[in-house]
Amino acid sequence: MTLEELQERMLGEIPAMPRRLTDGARYVLDNPDDVVIFSMRDLAARAGVSPATLVRLSRYLGFANWSDIRTIHAAHLRSMPAAYARKASAVLAREGENDLLAEAFNSHLANLEHTASVNSAENFHAAAECLARADRVFISAFMSCRGPGHTFAYLCRMLRDNVFLLGSEATSLVTELSTLRSNDVVLSINFQPYSREINHIAHTVERSGASLICLSDSRGTPLTPHADTVLLFSPESPSFFPSITAANALVESLIVALLAHLGDEASERIARIEQELYASGTYNHLNG
């Protein structure tokens, strides 16, 4: 079995797994190199589960023991070039409270490096193509993800029509998605702990046949099995709240990919909108 086949099996099994097995599976999916680098005990500690959970996970997936999963990962790692960037999950040493700000900025940089390294140009192209051909674009971004969702909605409307940010009207999510069709696309931004809306999004996408672009912290979310394209970002932070720095960077990079895909048509549209903003007085005319 290849690593890709193992990951597909895990993604298919995650919805039915017990919660602790799900935690272990998500970590294995998102940190494949760690499976080879660390012992089972150390890996379990990093995943926040017990070593016995990883043993149960391997048996749940049809393997005799954990070493079978580790062998698959080792074979894949030997076939790959050296890692391009340090992992965003690397432990950032803190020498004192005065270093907290430096640690926070180092964490942002690590998150950006990780996000750049795990997302291929092909995935950006696939997501941009999906957004360009859709009749309508619905953006699902709630709670902490609302900021990146607003940014994507604002920028995407500069490039194309029929872009809707879910939850912005005085109506329910069920009503907003009741007309979702197969030629629409939903762009979801989410990270743990996932908001309750994620399950309704998954159900509605599956029912309607709409396309789904998932921007997430994990390949093992309730949405990713339904996604046409998955783009990953790291929300690691030394603070008490997850960081959305990498999510914002991912959103802006996806808009760049969409602009490149749409070409001159989008550039002309941006120029018209900019002229209208100046003409309406929305932008100030400042004398140089």
Side-chain angles (χ1 to χ4, degrees), residues 138-162:
F138 293 87
I139 302 162
S140 170
F142 298 95
M143 301 180 71
S144 297
C145 297
R146 201 63 170 175
H150 271 293
T151 297
F152 185 84
Y154 177 82
L155 295 175
C156 195
R157 287 167 182 156
M158 298 282 286
L159 304 180
R160 54 153 298 154
D161 296 323
N162 296 328

mmCIF file of all heavy atoms in Angstrom, residues 138-162:
data_model
loop_
_atom_site.group_PDB
_atom_site.id
_atom_site.type_symbol
_atom_site.label_atom_id
_atom_site.label_comp_id
_atom_site.label_asym_id
_atom_site.label_seq_id
_atom_site.Cartn_x
_atom_site.Cartn_y
_atom_site.Cartn_z
ATOM 1 N N PHE A 138 -20.222 30.629 -2.732
ATOM 2 C CA PHE A 138 -20.684 30.806 -1.357
ATOM 3 C C PHE A 138 -19.497 30.587 -0.425
ATOM 4 O O PHE A 138 -18.787 29.584 -0.534
ATOM 5 C CB PHE A 138 -21.792 29.815 -1.022
ATOM 6 C CG PHE A 138 -23.073 30.043 -1.778
ATOM 7 C CD1 PHE A 138 -23.271 29.467 -3.031
ATOM 8 C CD2 PHE A 138 -24.071 30.837 -1.248
ATOM 9 C CE1 PHE A 138 -24.434 29.675 -3.735
ATOM 10 C CE2 PHE A 138 -25.253 31.054 -1.943
ATOM 11 C CZ PHE A 138 -25.438 30.466 -3.193
ATOM 12 N N ILE A 139 -19.303 31.507 0.516
ATOM 13 C CA ILE A 139 -18.159 31.446 1.425
ATOM 14 C C ILE A 139 -18.646 31.083 2.816
ATOM 15 O O ILE A 139 -19.468 31.783 3.412
ATOM 16 C CB ILE A 139 -17.409 32.794 1.454
ATOM 17 C CG1 ILE A 139 -16.950 33.154 0.045
ATOM 18 C CG2 ILE A 139 -16.230 32.739 2.415
ATOM 19 C CD1 ILE A 139 -16.604 34.613 -0.122
ATOM 20 N N SER A 140 -18.147 29.972 3.317
ATOM 21 C CA SER A 140 -18.486 29.501 4.657
ATOM 22 C C SER A 140 -17.299 29.773 5.578
ATOM 23 O O SER A 140 -16.272 29.101 5.492
ATOM 24 C CB SER A 140 -18.808 27.996 4.620
ATOM 25 O OG SER A 140 -18.913 27.476 5.921
ATOM 26 N N ALA A 141 -17.446 30.762 6.448
ATOM 27 C CA ALA A 141 -16.354 31.147 7.362
ATOM 28 C C ALA A 141 -16.985 31.745 8.612
ATOM 29 O O ALA A 141 -17.529 32.849 8.565
ATOM 30 C CB ALA A 141 -15.420 32.148 6.694
ATOM 31 N N PHE A 142 -16.910 31.025 9.698
ATOM 32 C CA PHE A 142 -17.585 31.439 10.912
ATOM 33 C C PHE A 142 -16.592 31.591 12.059
ATOM 34 O O PHE A 142 -15.477 31.098 12.012
ATOM 35 C CB PHE A 142 -18.671 30.423 11.284
ATOM 36 C CG PHE A 142 -19.750 30.309 10.242
ATOM 37 C CD1 PHE A 142 -19.685 29.327 9.260
ATOM 38 C CD2 PHE A 142 -20.817 31.199 10.217
ATOM 39 C CE1 PHE A 142 -20.672 29.229 8.289
ATOM 40 C CE2 PHE A 142 -21.806 31.108 9.251
ATOM 41 C CZ PHE A 142 -21.733 30.121 8.283
ATOM 42 N N MET A 143 -17.016 32.314 13.087
ATOM 43 C CA MET A 143 -16.236 32.545 14.298
ATOM 44 C C MET A 143 -14.848 33.099 13.947
ATOM 45 O O MET A 143 -14.751 34.098 13.238
ATOM 46 C CB MET A 143 -16.176 31.253 15.131
ATOM 47 C CG MET A 143 -17.578 30.757 15.541
ATOM 48 S SD MET A 143 -17.591 29.258 16.524
ATOM 49 C CE MET A 143 -16.932 29.878 18.080
ATOM 50 N N SER A 144 -13.763 32.468 14.395
ATOM 51 C CA SER A 144 -12.430 33.029 14.161
ATOM 52 C C SER A 144 -12.059 33.095 12.688
ATOM 53 O O SER A 144 -11.157 33.848 12.313
ATOM 54 C CB SER A 144 -11.379 32.194 14.907
ATOM 55 O OG SER A 144 -11.582 32.256 16.302
ATOM 56 N N CYS A 145 -12.727 32.305 11.870
ATOM 57 C CA CYS A 145 -12.430 32.284 10.433
ATOM 58 C C CYS A 145 -13.155 33.390 9.679
ATOM 59 O O CYS A 145 -12.992 33.515 8.460
ATOM 60 C CB CYS A 145 -12.814 30.938 9.833
ATOM 61 S SG CYS A 145 -11.885 29.550 10.492
ATOM 62 N N ARG A 146 -13.953 34.183 10.395
ATOM 63 C CA ARG A 146 -14.745 35.215 9.725
ATOM 64 C C ARG A 146 -13.858 36.245 9.029
ATOM 65 O O ARG A 146 -14.181 36.740 7.956
ATOM 66 C CB ARG A 146 -15.655 35.905 10.742
ATOM 67 C CG ARG A 146 -16.849 36.623 10.123
ATOM 68 C CD ARG A 146 -17.762 35.661 9.418
ATOM 69 N NE ARG A 146 -19.021 36.293 9.011
ATOM 70 C CZ ARG A 146 -19.941 35.681 8.284
ATOM 71 N NH1 ARG A 146 -19.736 34.434 7.880
ATOM 72 N NH2 ARG A 146 -21.057 36.294 7.960
ATOM 73 N N GLY A 147 -12.734 36.601 9.676
ATOM 74 C CA GLY A 147 -11.834 37.600 9.087
ATOM 75 C C GLY A 147 -11.319 37.186 7.723
ATOM 76 O O GLY A 147 -11.485 37.926 6.738
ATOM 77 N N PRO A 148 -10.677 36.011 7.598
ATOM 78 C CA PRO A 148 -10.249 35.557 6.275
ATOM 79 C C PRO A 148 -11.420 35.413 5.303
ATOM 80 O O PRO A 148 -11.270 35.655 4.104
ATOM 81 C CB PRO A 148 -9.600 34.194 6.563
ATOM 82 C CG PRO A 148 -9.169 34.269 7.978
ATOM 83 C CD PRO A 148 -10.183 35.128 8.676
ATOM 84 N N GLY A 149 -12.597 35.038 5.813
ATOM 85 C CA GLY A 149 -13.768 34.924 4.944
ATOM 86 C C GLY A 149 -14.180 36.254 4.370
ATOM 87 O O GLY A 149 -14.495 36.369 3.174
ATOM 88 N N HIS A 150 -14.191 37.308 5.202
ATOM 89 C CA HIS A 150 -14.501 38.659 4.718
ATOM 90 C C HIS A 150 -13.484 39.101 3.665
ATOM 91 O O HIS A 150 -13.843 39.705 2.648
ATOM 92 C CB HIS A 150 -14.509 39.651 5.880
ATOM 93 C CG HIS A 150 -15.836 39.794 6.546
ATOM 94 N ND1 HIS A 150 -16.918 40.352 5.914
ATOM 95 C CD2 HIS A 150 -16.253 39.444 7.791
ATOM 96 C CE1 HIS A 150 -17.960 40.363 6.744
ATOM 97 N NE2 HIS A 150 -17.586 39.813 7.883
ATOM 98 N N THR A 151 -12.203 38.827 3.936
ATOM 99 C CA THR A 151 -11.161 39.214 2.986
ATOM 100 C C THR A 151 -11.371 38.542 1.640
ATOM 101 O O THR A 151 -11.300 39.190 0.584
ATOM 102 C CB THR A 151 -9.770 38.841 3.541
ATOM 103 O OG1 THR A 151 -9.536 39.575 4.746
ATOM 104 C CG2 THR A 151 -8.674 39.178 2.526
ATOM 105 N N PHE A 152 -11.664 37.237 1.670
ATOM 106 C CA PHE A 152 -11.875 36.523 0.411
ATOM 107 C C PHE A 152 -13.105 37.071 -0.317
ATOM 108 O O PHE A 152 -13.067 37.270 -1.535
ATOM 109 C CB PHE A 152 -12.038 35.023 0.655
ATOM 110 C CG PHE A 152 -12.134 34.246 -0.626
ATOM 111 C CD1 PHE A 152 -10.986 33.862 -1.300
ATOM 112 C CD2 PHE A 152 -13.368 33.937 -1.187
ATOM 113 C CE1 PHE A 152 -11.073 33.176 -2.507
ATOM 114 C CE2 PHE A 152 -13.469 33.251 -2.380
ATOM 115 C CZ PHE A 152 -12.316 32.875 -3.049
ATOM 116 N N ALA A 153 -14.194 37.320 0.415
ATOM 117 C CA ALA A 153 -15.408 37.843 -0.213
ATOM 118 C C ALA A 153 -15.140 39.191 -0.881
ATOM 119 O O ALA A 153 -15.542 39.431 -2.027
ATOM 120 C CB ALA A 153 -16.523 37.964 0.820
ATOM 121 N N TYR A 154 -14.452 40.089 -0.161
ATOM 122 C CA TYR A 154 -14.170 41.422 -0.700
ATOM 123 C C TYR A 154 -13.326 41.339 -1.967
ATOM 124 O O TYR A 154 -13.632 41.964 -2.989
ATOM 125 C CB TYR A 154 -13.454 42.251 0.365
ATOM 126 C CG TYR A 154 -13.051 43.630 -0.107
ATOM 127 C CD1 TYR A 154 -13.968 44.671 -0.121
ATOM 128 C CD2 TYR A 154 -11.748 43.880 -0.545
ATOM 129 C CE1 TYR A 154 -13.595 45.939 -0.561
ATOM 130 C CE2 TYR A 154 -11.368 45.134 -0.991
ATOM 131 C CZ TYR A 154 -12.300 46.160 -0.992
ATOM 132 O OH TYR A 154 -11.936 47.405 -1.445
ATOM 133 N N LEU A 155 -12.254 40.554 -1.921
ATOM 134 C CA LEU A 155 -11.344 40.472 -3.059
ATOM 135 C C LEU A 155 -11.962 39.712 -4.229
ATOM 136 O O LEU A 155 -11.780 40.088 -5.392
ATOM 137 C CB LEU A 155 -10.033 39.808 -2.638
ATOM 138 C CG LEU A 155 -9.201 40.586 -1.618
ATOM 139 C CD1 LEU A 155 -7.989 39.764 -1.184
ATOM 140 C CD2 LEU A 155 -8.756 41.931 -2.178
ATOM 141 N N CYS A 156 -12.708 38.653 -3.922
ATOM 142 C CA CYS A 156 -13.310 37.855 -4.990
ATOM 143 C C CYS A 156 -14.353 38.660 -5.754
ATOM 144 O O CYS A 156 -14.505 38.496 -6.974
ATOM 145 C CB CYS A 156 -13.933 36.591 -4.399
ATOM 146 S SG CYS A 156 -14.327 35.314 -5.618
ATOM 147 N N ARG A 157 -15.066 39.549 -5.059
ATOM 148 C CA ARG A 157 -16.060 40.400 -5.729
ATOM 149 C C ARG A 157 -15.415 41.408 -6.662
ATOM 150 O O ARG A 157 -16.075 41.953 -7.548
ATOM 151 C CB ARG A 157 -16.920 41.117 -4.685
ATOM 152 C CG ARG A 157 -17.916 40.198 -3.997
ATOM 153 C CD ARG A 157 -18.530 40.841 -2.775
ATOM 154 N NE ARG A 157 -19.448 39.922 -2.093
ATOM 155 C CZ ARG A 157 -19.773 39.996 -0.811
ATOM 156 N NH1 ARG A 157 -19.238 40.962 -0.049
ATOM 157 N NH2 ARG A 157 -20.607 39.137 -0.284
ATOM 158 N N MET A 158 -14.134 41.675 -6.449
ATOM 159 C CA MET A 158 -13.408 42.528 -7.394
ATOM 160 C C MET A 158 -13.165 41.813 -8.714
ATOM 161 O O MET A 158 -12.926 42.451 -9.744
ATOM 162 C CB MET A 158 -12.053 42.936 -6.797
ATOM 163 C CG MET A 158 -12.138 43.755 -5.524
ATOM 164 S SD MET A 158 -12.556 45.487 -5.809
ATOM 165 C CE MET A 158 -11.006 46.096 -6.481
ATOM 166 N N LEU A 159 -13.227 40.472 -8.691
ATOM 167 C CA LEU A 159 -12.873 39.682 -9.870
ATOM 168 C C LEU A 159 -14.072 39.073 -10.592
ATOM 169 O O LEU A 159 -13.987 38.807 -11.794
ATOM 170 C CB LEU A 159 -11.918 38.543 -9.465
ATOM 171 C CG LEU A 159 -10.630 38.949 -8.752
ATOM 172 C CD1 LEU A 159 -9.804 37.712 -8.436
ATOM 173 C CD2 LEU A 159 -9.826 39.920 -9.615
ATOM 174 N N ARG A 160 -15.178 38.847 -9.863
ATOM 175 C CA ARG A 160 -16.315 38.177 -10.491
ATOM 176 C C ARG A 160 -17.606 38.503 -9.728
ATOM 177 O O ARG A 160 -17.577 39.003 -8.601
ATOM 178 C CB ARG A 160 -16.112 36.662 -10.534
ATOM 179 C CG ARG A 160 -15.804 36.012 -9.206
ATOM 180 C CD ARG A 160 -16.257 34.555 -9.194
ATOM 181 N NE ARG A 160 -17.697 34.477 -9.376
ATOM 182 C CZ ARG A 160 -18.356 33.437 -9.883
ATOM 183 N NH1 ARG A 160 -17.681 32.366 -10.249
ATOM 184 N NH2 ARG A 160 -19.679 33.442 -9.996
ATOM 185 N N ASP A 161 -18.747 38.214 -10.366
ATOM 186 C CA ASP A 161 -20.056 38.450 -9.763
ATOM 187 C C ASP A 161 -20.494 37.245 -8.935
ATOM 188 O O ASP A 161 -19.855 36.190 -8.939
ATOM 189 C CB ASP A 161 -21.099 38.709 -10.854
ATOM 190 C CG ASP A 161 -20.809 39.983 -11.632
ATOM 191 O OD1 ASP A 161 -20.355 40.964 -11.015
ATOM 192 O OD2 ASP A 161 -21.029 39.990 -12.860
ATOM 193 N N ASN A 162 -21.632 37.428 -8.248
ATOM 194 C CA ASN A 162 -22.318 36.345 -7.546
ATOM 195 C C ASN A 162 -21.423 35.667 -6.499
ATOM 196 O O ASN A 162 -21.208 34.460 -6.514
ATOM 197 C CB ASN A 162 -22.842 35.307 -8.535
ATOM 198 C CG ASN A 162 -23.896 35.880 -9.461
ATOM 199 O OD1 ASN A 162 -24.652 36.757 -9.084
ATOM 200 N ND2 ASN A 162 -23.932 35.384 -10.690
#
